[in-house]
Amino acid sequence: MSTQTDLNVRILSYVDALNEAVEQEMELDENVFVIGLNVDDHKGIQGTTQGLLEKFGSERVMDTPLSEDAITGICIGSAMAGMRPIHVHIRMDFLLLCMNQLINMAAKAHYMYGGQTKVPMVARSIIGKSWGQGAQHSQGLHSMFMHVPGLKVVAPTNAYDAKGCMMAAIRDNNPVIFVEHRLLYSTDAPVPVDPYIVDFGNARVVGEGSDITLVGISYMLIECLAARDLLSEVGISAEVIDPVSLMPLDIDSIASSAKRTGKLLVVDNAWTTAGAGAEIVAAVCEQASLSSVGRMGYASTTCPTTPTLEKLFYPNAASIATRAFSMVRPKEKQWKPDVEPILPHEVAFRGPF
Amino acid sequence: MSTQTDLNVRILSYVDALNEAVEQEMELDENVFVIGLNVDDHKGIQGTTQGLLEKFGSERVMDTPLSEDAITGICIGSAMAGMRPIHVHIRMDFLLLCMNQLINMAAKAHYMYGGQTKVPMVARSIIGKSWGQGAQHSQGLHSMFMHVPGLKVVAPTNAYDAKGCMMAAIRDNNPVIFVEHRLLYSTDAPVPVDPYIVDFGNARVVGEGSDITLVGISYMLIECLAARDLLSEVGISAEVIDPVSLMPLDIDSIASSAKRTGKLLVVDNAWTTAGAGAEIVAAVCEQASLSSVGRMGYASTTCPTTPTLEKLFYPNAASIATRAFSMVRPKEKQWKPDVEPILPHEVAFRGPF
Amino acid sequence: MSVKCPDPEMLARVYYSLRLIRRTEEEIARIYPSDKIKSPVHLSIGQESVSVGVCDVLEKNDIMSATYRGHAAYLAKGGNLNQMFAELYGKGTGGAGGKAGSMHLIDMKAGVLGMSAVVGTTIPVAAGYALALKRENLGRVTVCFFGDGATEEGVFSETLNFASLHNLPILFVCENNGFAIHSPLSNRWAKEALCERVSTYSISTHEISDGDVFAIRQTAKAALNAIRSGEGPQFMECKTYRWREHVGPGEDYDEDYRSRDELTFWQKNDPLTTTAKMLTDLKRQAIDIDIEKKIAEAVKFAEDSPWPDSKELFSHVYAD
Amino acid sequence: MSVKCPDPEMLARVYYSLRLIRRTEEEIARIYPSDKIKSPVHLSIGQESVSVGVCDVLEKNDIMSATYRGHAAYLAKGGNLNQMFAELYGKGTGGAGGKAGSMHLIDMKAGVLGMSAVVGTTIPVAAGYALALKRENLGRVTVCFFGDGATEEGVFSETLNFASLHNLPILFVCENNGFAIHSPLSNRWAKEALCERVSTYSISTHEISDGDVFAIRQTAKAALNAIRSGEGPQFMECKTYRWREHVGPGEDYDEDYRSRDELTFWQKNDPLTTTAKMLTDLKRQAIDIDIEKKIAEAVKFAEDSPWPDSKELFSHVYAD
Ligand SMILES: Cc1ncc(C[n+]2csc(CCOP(=O)(O)OP(=O)(O)O)c2C)c(N)n1
Ligand SMILES: Cc1ncc(C[n+]2csc(CCOP(=O)(O)OP(=O)(O)O)c2C)c(N)n1
Ligand SMILES: [Mg+2]
Ligand SMILES: [Mg+2]
């Protein structure tokens, strides 16, 4: 991350980093445009599209009807003609209306048409959590897109990667599913002013360790880092890895860490069955047989709205630490950290929308 | 399969077994109905719905407009009212038009509404292969549905299971994704005349062995069985398992076989990334660390139409045998069976539709 | 008003329903800042007359389908008030045991189908229920409420075609409040010709432009009769206005997407006020007192109710 | 015919195109039993005049989008014949190197957008291309062909609304052959009022009921002028008839879903025959001979072409 040593680095929120990435790409390339319901309103998708309308006009910052299926196809067609659409979805759950166009057309066009056409587009999607988001506003569906050749999937977990991955996604000549998480929006990090790219396919070790490898996907990386602190208090050293991009997936970095620690726990911000965690665990086990592997993620239920049940639906620092402890010290009796860390953005976060 | 010892067992094709299951359930329960494009025409979905219109009339065998999204929702609503719709899709690829209703409504209704409503429906979907089916008529998307709590997924590989699973699916009080494969349609097996149920969640050992465990999903089970024959010629004894149902998944039967043989190779009729194979390999590795695990499936590309490339897109008996050989005898140099078995149904199959 | 002197019983019923909804949502807005309601709330304040006018002419065993902005329809159809508040509070005594929140209310006992937070998804589901009612052939009907934005989803057109093709007993009611979140019709509709379009599916259409609760009621009554006598689906477009912000308890006229003048216009014609005037003070006060009592009870019920047992997380994933 | 004595050059062009398509598909049908074509084929025989009439008035750099039943449109727009046959044969010299087959033909050099085997999917894609052409502002347009069944998909309505809302330069052309596979309109449409419905999106509509190639051409010409002069999308519904089975080379009049009388009616008004009659024998024979030569060359090209190299399986999964 050499660019981080630049002089012109400031602390920026995830929201502002996304906003800046899009604004800079729109300045650099007139073919880039933003489209989606309410991208032009005063809330500006929680601020991520704020100011773009004023700067670039309604031809390049387009509000839409509620027609996700058609708008996706329209993005694909405009991309085939050389434009670079960024289609914004305020909840990832709504991508389920776009599956036919994303999977039957966007993912396949370049191949099915023998390379005669390309589909450079970005589908931004926000995963919701808490405040009773419930069954239909909380899903993390990234594994469905990882499954299909022709699509790329990225899930940056900090403001620096948010900007770098967004610029890379916009410049990419393939459809990119951009996975954001509502609870990451208020987090901040040092972000260079100048445009820069975070290349896909490079996992990042965000906390070194020797006893177990924790892979945290999307928002769950934050919980894994907090779990790492809890574990250190009982003398367990956990290495925490952020895959950053899920397709392409940097499985080798994850595998080499897991081989070193001998233990792998993948914590996904989604269901586990046939999920990203299954892919990572299976791919690592194909390379080497570890003493212990595990997956955590959403409970195998629909997401309830009531906070008391919702709390049990998601993994958290404590439950991750407990699981990791039992993997590192299988003989010892179960351990539960007594403190449950409150995560900064949870304080900052203003529900419900 | 005690019922198979009944006197009234005949050899029936997969097509006729499906047809009989639906006909018998429609006789037993007037709430059962069939709906889908062209279910009432002279071809009767390759024969699987033939004769039903004449017997039950157009109120219970409904042709539809091309409106997969709405028809799925209509099935859900009628199911909430106590009916038992069977929605037929001539290609699984078209389920991508139904994702919003299947995943945001059907899968969640019972939970999200606190048990006040149920959605007993079956979505039949046929996976296509060969004769230039190509990018959009060949997809096996079952892992996407396995990923979502609230849905069940079954993929019977023979006529006996086809009838028993279909009757179970129709009687099930939850949405069931019924995965069929075009190349299995002409295969036949002994099938009892009387109604019977094949309970979900029971994997079946279809060929015993001691050196490696092969799990074959949907049509790939046929290729695994042929691979088993090839392997036996070089003195390798492969155990072949048919999961039959993917959600619920009988992971314990698979794991106990894999623990015995020490080696697990899952061959899916779909892409491997975050697929059913990833789930099975990961789940088994969570239980025990094996000496060698592997996955095979569609090449990580879009499906090409030309036969020369399509041939390379799919695993087959020979490539499965080669891979299994390398897992069982890692030190020996690569082995390729010289004969490539022609599978009965491939002769019987009449393309293109 | 289109009806000079409505039958007093009906008038009382209508006023009661309008007032119950208004006061319930005002109470929700009052409680909201306390964070006791951990659910997004999409208030219907200002739009009550659509739900009330239509539901007043429904039979108890008819079926009603609505959206995440469903408090009004839920109450107008006779949904349980205690269970509604408990559900908003996330308590185990809620209609869905705390798993639904405000956006997925349901009360099958009262004929209230489950609501959905994904716009448009309930439209085909309501039609599917109507398909079953047609087979049942007991004269029951389904009413399907949705917003102007929902008509932009392809599934709306698909459902109209199927419902008409199969002559389903369903009344479609579009609550056209002119906005999808903050997006005005002009950003979303090529032409304001909804009724005209729907009629091309050979569905009879009715447009009510002023939110008049009696006009809505009369129109719905006639439409329901037509449906029950086998004439197939009918369609109503009711112009209305959302007084509060899209989601949450407050107002948002300081934002530039709409002006307070619009609100003033609709407040002048607020059916709650006009119907109140048509009642004797005595009658009105009796109703008001009764409503305050019911709401207070419901809030207390919600506050006193226990949280769901943690094992409930795993109940109802699959039906037996 | 609507045009008594058409301009001879235009007549020759139109006849050439009609004849090229008819003969190409007859040749495909002839070859088909040999299994050299390992792809489903959806023949347009009988429907040629829609593609030919519309495409004759397109500019070379205009864009055309069609369906899996796309041979006619592909050839009418000037798609490469050799590459088409090679593609059907699955050879490496095919337009998509053998990865597309008959259902996904493409020829961007000729302005032929990629076709799709999933009904309706190309409609918004064509509109998206038109959105780019609008920004380009060089007067180019997109023509989007689709069948009657495709209009039942929600995405069709969604696209019409968006295209009109944003005044996109696109001509929608519905080839209404009355069937979706074997399903007649009466099983699928609540009402035959497609043009009426489309006009509610403030899109000008034009209906041509007899397949007259000159009437289609005239109508398309006027529609394209309107689009190029900034009047936004236009819509044509052309009644036509599929002479062969839905998929495959044969006929299926022995099946009960339709009768040969229908075929007879349309064959009597076959634009290929009527235009042939308008030409001198000399002129016609010259064209016919030229076409046979081109087709023979294309078949030979396909037969002599190599299969794609096995490494092509992994090319074009992702674009650089
Ligand atoms: C399919 C889908 N797209 C987008 C959203 C985000 N969203 C929530 S409410 C809403 C507005 C819908 O407008 P309308 O149908 O008119 O109903 P109203 O809110 O005005 O009652 C939108 C766009 C959603 N919930 N579902
Ligand atoms: C979304 C989708 N649903 C169903 C099918 C199966 N199918 C293939 S062609 C066809 C008929 C479509 O009819 P129409 O649009 O009128 O085109 P035509 O075949 O008559 O040219 C159908 C239903 C499909 N390919 N895609
Ligand atoms: Mg609205
Ligand atoms: Mg047709």
Side-chain angles (χ1 to χ4, degrees):
Chain A
M1 304 197 282
S2 61
T3 38
Q4 260 195 351
T5 62
D6 290 357
L7 295 169
N8 57 1
V9 169
R10 324 112 312 163
I11 299 299
L12 224 58
S13 74
Y14 196 103
V15 165
D16 296 338
L18 283 177
N19 186 292
E20 184 169 275
V22 173
E23 180 183 351
Q24 290 181 347
E25 280 302 315
M26 287 181 82
E27 274 173 349
L28 293 166
D29 182 350
E30 64 174 17
N31 290 314
V32 177
F33 70 104
V34 175
I35 183 168
L37 207 89
N38 286 252
V39 294
D40 63 348
D41 71 12
H42 56 279
K43 297 212 167 158
I45 315 295
Q46 279 95 46
T48 60
T49 63
Q50 207 117 53
L52 297 177
L53 174 70
E54 295 66 17
K55 184 149 188 190
F56 301 104
S58 60
E59 284 268 299
R60 294 182 66 190
V61 182
M62 302 177 76
D63 188 16
T64 72
L66 278 89
S67 303
E68 288 83 354
D69 185 3
I71 303 301
T72 306
I74 284 156
C75 288
I76 293 167
S78 70
M80 288 176 171
M83 304 191 70
R84 295 184 173 275
I86 303 168
H87 189 188
V88 184
H89 299 270
I90 62 173
R91 284 295 177 274
M92 193 169 201
D93 312 71
F94 309 151
L95 286 182
L96 292 169
L97 284 149
C98 312
M99 298 303 262
N100 183 44
Q101 286 293 335
L102 287 174
I103 293 175
N104 279 332
M105 294 299 284
K108 295 170 173 46
H110 188 62
Y111 190 95
M112 177 167 75
Y113 300 133
Q116 282 202 40
T117 183
K118 295 192 296 266
V119 183
M121 67 177 279
V122 180
R124 280 187 54 195
S125 59
I126 306 168
I127 301 174
K129 181 180 178 182
S130 81
W131 292 86
Q133 293 290 296
Q136 301 171 325
H137 276 49
S138 60
Q139 295 171 92
L141 303 168
H142 34 280
S143 68
M144 293 186 179
F145 301 102
M146 293 168 65
H147 186 59
V148 181
L151 298 175
K152 296 186 178 182
V153 185
V154 290
T157 65
N158 60 67
Y160 176 85
D161 286 339
K163 179 176 176 180
C165 286
M166 178 55 76
M167 298 195 105
I170 295 169
R171 296 180 194 182
D172 200 289
N173 283 326
N174 300 280
V176 178
I177 309 298
F178 202 93
V179 183
E180 305 165 24
H181 193 290
R182 185 71 182 83
L183 293 192
L184 292 173
Y185 271 21
S186 56
T187 62
D188 46 33
V191 175
V193 171
D194 299 337
Y196 62 95
I197 289 298
V198 170
D199 285 319
F200 301 163
N202 301 317
R204 184 170 289 142
V205 176
V206 289
E208 303 202 331
S210 52
D211 298 331
I212 184 169
T213 301
L214 301 180
V215 176
I217 295 171
S218 184
Y219 165 73
M220 282 301 154
L221 182 82
I222 309 292
E223 300 280 5
C224 285
L225 285 168
R228 181 170 179 269
D229 296 341
L230 296 172
L231 288 163
S232 68
E233 288 166 20
V234 289
I236 291 178
S237 146
E239 179 145 297
V240 177
I241 297 183
D242 180 350
V244 187
S245 88
L246 297 168
M247 183 65 224
L249 178 67
D250 179 6
I251 197 65
D252 293 341
S253 298
I254 296 169
S256 64
S257 167
K259 286 177 202 166
R260 195 158 33 71
T261 63
K263 299 175 192 60
L264 172 66
L265 176 60
V266 183
V267 189
D268 193 4
N269 198 94
W271 289 299
T272 56
T273 306
E279 173 58 29
I280 292 170
V281 167
V284 169
C285 290
E286 283 171 326
Q287 289 192 26
S289 78
L290 304 178
S291 67
S292 173
V293 296
R295 287 176 287 165
M296 293 179 76
Y298 292 177
S300 292
T301 73
T302 295
C303 180
T305 47
T306 181
T308 59
L309 296 182
E310 191 198 39
K311 200 166 164 311
L312 305 168
F313 178 77
Y314 293 104
N316 58 42
S319 63
I320 295 165
T322 297
R323 176 72 175 275
F325 183 97
S326 69
M327 287 170 71
V328 175
R329 301 184 186 157
K331 309 228 164 1
E332 295 185 26
K333 71 176 204 325
Q334 206 209 36
W335 164 78
K336 274 200 168 63
D338 34 334
V339 293
E340 226 182 79
I342 290 157
L343 303 160
H345 57 271
E346 285 183 307
V347 184
F349 178 62
R350 296 261 163 282
F353 202 70
Chain B
M1 306 200 282
S2 61
T3 39
Q4 261 199 348
T5 63
D6 290 356
L7 296 169
N8 58 2
V9 169
R10 327 109 310 159
I11 299 301
L12 224 58
S13 74
Y14 196 104
V15 165
D16 296 338
L18 283 177
N19 186 294
E20 184 170 276
V22 173
E23 179 184 351
Q24 290 181 347
E25 281 301 316
M26 288 181 81
E27 273 172 349
L28 293 166
D29 183 349
E30 63 174 17
N31 290 314
V32 177
F33 71 104
V34 175
I35 184 167
L37 206 90
N38 286 254
V39 294
D40 63 348
D41 72 11
H42 57 279
K43 295 214 167 154
I45 315 294
Q46 280 95 47
T48 60
T49 63
Q50 207 117 53
L52 298 176
L53 174 70
E54 294 68 18
K55 184 151 187 190
F56 300 105
S58 59
E59 285 267 299
R60 296 182 66 192
V61 182
M62 303 176 75
D63 189 16
T64 72
L66 277 89
S67 304
E68 287 84 356
D69 185 4
I71 303 300
T72 305
I74 284 157
C75 288
I76 292 168
S78 70
M80 288 177 171
M83 304 192 69
R84 295 186 173 273
I86 304 169
H87 189 190
V88 184
H89 299 271
I90 61 173
R91 284 295 177 274
M92 193 169 201
D93 311 71
F94 308 151
L95 286 182
L96 292 169
L97 284 150
C98 311
M99 298 303 263
N100 183 43
Q101 286 292 335
L102 287 174
I103 293 175
N104 279 332
M105 293 300 282
K108 295 169 172 47
H110 187 61
Y111 191 94
M112 176 166 76
Y113 300 133
Q116 281 203 42
T117 184
K118 295 193 296 267
V119 183
M121 68 176 280
V122 180
R124 278 187 55 195
S125 59
I126 306 168
I127 301 175
K129 181 180 179 182
S130 79
W131 292 86
Q133 293 290 296
Q136 301 171 324
H137 277 50
S138 59
Q139 295 171 94
L141 302 169
H142 34 280
S143 69
M144 292 187 180
F145 301 103
M146 294 168 66
H147 186 60
V148 181
L151 297 176
K152 296 187 179 182
V153 185
V154 290
T157 65
N158 60 66
Y160 176 85
D161 286 338
K163 179 176 177 182
C165 286
M166 178 54 76
M167 298 193 105
I170 295 169
R171 295 179 195 184
D172 200 290
N173 283 326
N174 300 281
V176 178
I177 309 298
F178 201 92
V179 183
E180 305 166 24
H181 194 291
R182 186 69 182 84
L183 293 193
L184 292 173
Y185 271 21
S186 56
T187 63
D188 48 32
V191 175
V193 171
D194 299 339
Y196 62 96
I197 290 296
V198 170
D199 286 319
F200 300 163
N202 301 317
R204 185 171 289 143
V205 176
V206 288
E208 304 201 332
S210 52
D211 298 330
I212 184 169
T213 300
L214 301 179
V215 177
I217 294 171
S218 183
Y219 164 72
M220 282 301 154
L221 183 83
I222 309 294
E223 301 279 5
C224 284
L225 284 168
R228 181 169 179 269
D229 297 340
L230 296 172
L231 288 162
S232 68
E233 289 165 21
V234 290
I236 291 178
S237 146
E239 180 145 295
V240 176
I241 298 184
D242 180 351
V244 187
S245 87
L246 297 169
M247 183 65 223
L249 178 67
D250 179 7
I251 196 67
D252 293 341
S253 300
I254 295 169
S256 64
S257 167
K259 287 175 200 166
R260 195 158 33 71
T261 64
K263 296 175 195 57
L264 173 65
L265 176 60
V266 183
V267 188
D268 194 2
N269 198 94
W271 289 297
T272 57
T273 306
E279 174 59 30
I280 292 170
V281 166
V284 169
C285 290
E286 284 172 325
Q287 289 192 26
S289 76
L290 304 178
S291 67
S292 174
V293 296
R295 290 175 286 167
M296 293 178 77
Y298 293 177
S300 292
T301 74
T302 295
C303 181
T305 47
T306 182
T308 59
L309 296 182
E310 191 198 38
K311 201 166 166 311
L312 305 169
F313 178 77
Y314 293 106
N316 58 43
S319 62
I320 295 166
T322 298
R323 176 72 175 275
F325 183 95
S326 68
M327 288 171 69
V328 175
R329 302 182 186 161
K331 309 227 166 357
E332 297 186 23
K333 71 175 203 327
Q334 205 207 40
W335 164 79
K336 273 199 168 66
D338 33 293
V339 293
E340 226 182 81
I342 290 159
L343 302 160
H345 57 271
E346 286 183 309
V347 183
F349 177 62
R350 295 260 164 284
F353 204 67
Chain C
M1 309 286 281
S2 63
V3 179
K4 282 284 149 291
C5 46
D7 150 58
E9 270 189 25
M10 182 270 278
L11 171 63
R13 261 199 333 266
V14 166
Y15 172 77
Y16 179 94
S17 192
L18 289 169
R19 172 92 182 177
L20 174 66
I21 296 164
R22 177 72 52 91
R23 289 291 305 122
T24 297
E25 291 203 317
E26 286 172 347
E27 191 65 3
I28 290 169
R30 187 187 62 75
I31 295 166
Y32 207 72
S34 71
D35 278 353
K36 286 177 181 169
I37 295 171
K38 283 206 169 39
S39 167
V41 289
H42 302 77
L43 301 184
S44 323
I45 291 179
Q47 305 188 191
E48 301 92 342
S49 66
V50 182
S51 299
V52 172
V54 171
C55 291
D56 189 65
V57 286
L58 286 177
E59 301 297 330
K60 179 137 188 34
N61 66 356
D62 285 331
I63 299 296
M64 188 281 298
S65 164
T67 75
Y68 52 86
R69 192 180 305 286
H71 300 161
Y74 176 96
L75 293 173
K77 184 61 173 67
N80 183 295
L81 184 64
N82 287 8
Q83 290 180 2
M84 173 178 153
F85 265 101
E87 189 58 46
L88 267 60
Y89 272 67
K91 297 302 184 74
T93 55
K99 290 174 171 176
S102 164
M103 299 195 292
H104 313 294
L105 292 176
I106 183 170
D107 187 347
M108 290 307 286
K109 275 207 209 65
V112 177
L113 267 182
M115 297 160 192
S116 169
V118 183
V119 174
T121 45
T122 46
I123 298 174
V125 173
Y129 209 104
L131 176 66
L133 295 184
K134 180 189 171 194
R135 305 258 172 106
E136 181 191 70
N137 197 21
L138 297 177
R140 293 166 68 199
V141 307
T142 297
V143 170
C144 178
F145 292 101
F146 47 86
D148 45 295
T151 67
E152 297 150 21
E153 293 285 359
V155 74
F156 171 68
S157 305
E158 293 181 355
T159 304
L160 290 177
N161 182 45
F162 185 92
S164 177
L165 183 65
H166 291 281
N167 215 48
L168 301 185
I170 183 166
L171 173 60
F172 296 102
V173 182
C174 177
E175 295 188 57
N176 183 350
N177 62 11
F179 292 97
I181 306 188
H182 313 115
S183 176
L185 283 186
S186 56
N187 280 15
R188 300 178 286 116
W189 286 15
K191 188 180 179 189
E192 288 201 34
L194 183 57
C195 283
E196 198 187 327
R197 185 173 309 133
V198 171
S199 65
T200 67
Y201 294 99
S202 77
I203 294 175
S204 318
T205 64
H206 318 274
E207 190 173 336
I208 292 110
S209 55
D210 60 2
D212 178 341
V213 68
F214 296 112
I216 291 167
R217 183 181 180 283
Q218 283 299 342
T219 309
K221 190 173 181 182
L224 288 165
N225 288 338
I227 295 168
R228 292 191 211 275
S229 60
E231 290 177 33
Q234 301 253 326
F235 181 87
M236 290 172 62
E237 178 183 7
C238 302
K239 298 266 175 26
T240 182
Y241 197 71
R242 165 170 58 77
W243 293 11
R244 302 289 177 107
E245 59 189 331
H246 166 70
V247 60
E251 293 188 340
D252 58 1
Y253 296 95
D254 42 353
E255 301 301 345
D256 54 5
Y257 81 97
R258 61 178 186 173
S259 89
R260 188 170 285 279
D261 308 351
E262 294 175 14
L263 173 65
T264 320
F265 168 84
W266 284 93
Q267 282 183 325
K268 277 214 204 69
N269 308 302
D270 180 10
L272 179 56
T273 323
T274 41
T275 49
K277 292 213 194 78
M278 299 169 84
L279 290 165
T280 65
D281 290 1
L282 217 67
K283 182 73 184 168
R284 204 189 66 256
Q285 281 157 10
I287 292 174
D288 294 357
I289 289 161
D290 178 39
I291 286 173
E292 295 309 315
K293 206 167 120 295
K294 285 208 169 57
I295 293 174
E297 281 167 10
V299 172
K300 186 170 188 325
F301 175 78
E303 306 225 332
D304 298 348
S305 289
W307 295 103
D309 186 297
S310 63
K311 71 171 172 17
E312 289 305 316
L313 175 66
F314 294 100
S315 65
H316 301 130
V317 179
Y318 290 94
D320 306 329
Chain D
M1 308 289 281
S2 62
V3 179
K4 282 283 150 291
C5 44
D7 150 59
E9 268 189 26
M10 182 269 279
L11 172 62
R13 263 200 332 266
V14 166
Y15 172 76
Y16 180 96
S17 191
L18 289 169
R19 172 91 184 180
L20 173 66
I21 296 164
R22 177 71 53 90
R23 288 293 304 124
T24 296
E25 290 203 317
E26 284 172 348
E27 192 63 4
I28 290 169
R30 188 187 63 75
I31 296 166
Y32 208 72
S34 71
D35 278 355
K36 287 178 181 169
I37 295 170
K38 281 202 170 42
S39 166
V41 289
H42 302 77
L43 301 185
S44 324
I45 291 178
Q47 304 188 190
E48 302 91 341
S49 66
V50 183
S51 300
V52 172
V54 171
C55 292
D56 189 64
V57 286
L58 286 178
E59 301 297 329
K60 180 137 187 34
N61 65 356
D62 285 330
I63 298 296
M64 188 281 297
S65 163
T67 75
Y68 52 87
R69 193 180 306 285
H71 300 162
Y74 176 96
L75 293 172
K77 184 62 171 70
N80 182 296
L81 184 64
N82 286 7
Q83 289 180 3
M84 173 178 154
F85 264 102
E87 190 57 47
L88 267 60
Y89 272 67
K91 297 302 183 74
T93 54
K99 290 173 172 176
S102 164
M103 299 195 292
H104 312 294
L105 292 177
I106 184 169
D107 187 347
M108 290 307 286
K109 274 206 210 65
V112 177
L113 267 182
M115 298 161 190
S116 169
V118 182
V119 174
T121 44
T122 45
I123 297 173
V125 173
Y129 209 105
L131 176 66
L133 296 185
K134 179 189 171 194
R135 304 259 172 107
E136 181 191 70
N137 199 21
L138 298 178
R140 294 165 69 199
V141 308
T142 297
V143 169
C144 177
F145 291 101
F146 48 86
D148 46 293
T151 67
E152 298 149 18
E153 295 285 359
V155 74
F156 171 69
S157 305
E158 293 181 355
T159 304
L160 291 177
N161 182 46
F162 185 93
S164 177
L165 183 64
H166 292 281
N167 214 49
L168 302 186
I170 183 166
L171 172 61
F172 295 101
V173 182
C174 177
E175 296 188 55
N176 183 349
N177 63 12
F179 293 97
I181 305 188
H182 312 115
S183 175
L185 283 185
S186 57
N187 280 15
R188 299 179 287 117
W189 286 16
K191 188 181 178 189
E192 289 200 33
L194 183 57
C195 283
E196 199 187 326
R197 184 173 310 132
V198 172
S199 66
T200 67
Y201 294 99
S202 75
I203 294 175
S204 319
T205 64
H206 318 273
E207 191 173 335
I208 292 112
S209 56
D210 60 2
D212 178 338
V213 68
F214 297 111
I216 291 166
R217 184 181 179 282
Q218 284 299 343
T219 309
K221 190 173 180 182
L224 289 165
N225 288 339
I227 295 168
R228 293 192 210 274
S229 60
E231 290 178 31
Q234 302 253 326
F235 181 87
M236 290 171 62
E237 178 183 9
C238 302
K239 298 267 175 29
T240 181
Y241 198 70
R242 165 171 57 78
W243 292 11
R244 302 289 176 108
E245 59 190 332
H246 166 70
V247 60
E251 293 188 338
D252 59 0
Y253 296 96
D254 45 349
E255 301 301 345
D256 53 5
Y257 81 96
R258 62 178 185 172
S259 88
R260 188 171 285 279
D261 308 349
E262 293 175 13
L263 173 66
T264 320
F265 168 83
W266 284 92
Q267 282 182 324
K268 278 214 204 67
N269 308 302
D270 180 9
L272 179 57
T273 323
T274 41
T275 47
K277 291 214 194 76
M278 300 168 83
L279 291 165
T280 64
D281 288 2
L282 216 66
K283 180 75 184 161
R284 205 190 67 255
Q285 281 158 8
I287 292 175
D288 293 359
I289 288 162
D290 179 39
I291 286 173
E292 295 309 315
K293 206 167 120 293
K294 285 205 167 57
I295 293 175
E297 280 166 11
V299 172
K300 185 167 189 328
F301 176 80
E303 307 226 332
D304 298 348
S305 289
W307 294 103
D309 186 298
S310 64
K311 70 170 172 21
E312 289 306 317
L313 175 66
F314 293 99
S315 65
H316 299 130
V317 179
Y318 290 95
D320 306 327

